[in-house]
Amino acid sequence: MPQETFLTAANPPAPLAERLRPQNLDEFAGQEHLIGKGKVLRRMIEGDLVSSMIFWGPPGCGKTTLANIIAMTTNGEFIKLNAVNSGVADVKKAVDTARENLRM
């Protein structure tokens, strides 16, 4: 019987970048003007006062990481859409989900 490795496992471990992704604002690097101690976005996140946001920027600048941190820190839900892979139906579904969450 062949030995199972991370390449053949039914549930392989997450990629290294995902495992090393910052988990809170103190671990996040950059955007100090927004999420530094006492700054506006950090106060909104810590006070659970964040509304809908759209992050825009080049790949690797921290958009997804910051969105994940906000979702983990607040009582919000993180709906991930990629402009390259998502269509109108995906956006409508996300909006419907958001509306349903507001009702609850």
Side-chain angles (χ1 to χ4, degrees), residues 7-52:
L7 296 174
T8 61
N11 295 312
L16 181 61
E18 186 65 32
R19 288 183 276 154
L20 294 177
R21 188 182 297 271
Q23 299 297 307
N24 58 56
L25 291 174
D26 292 328
E27 294 176 0
F28 190 86
Q31 304 297 331
E32 289 298 316
H33 64 291
L34 294 172
I35 62 166
K37 299 282 186 198
K39 300 299 181 180
V40 65
L41 187 54
R42 185 181 197 110
R43 290 193 324 259
M44 289 171 64
I45 294 167
E46 290 174 343
D48 200 4
L49 301 171
V50 178
S51 62
S52 297

Side-chain angles (χ1 to χ4, degrees), residues 11 13 20 23 26 29 49 63 71 79 82 86 91 93:
N11 295 312
L20 294 177
Q23 299 297 307
D26 292 328
L49 301 171
K63 301 177 298 288
I79 300 173
N82 181 310
S86 300
V91 174
K93 181 179 177 186

Side-chain angles (χ1 to χ4, degrees), residues 81-95:
L81 294 176
N82 181 310
V84 173
N85 301 325
S86 300
V88 173
D90 298 312
V91 174
K92 287 181 179 180
K93 181 179 177 186
V95 169

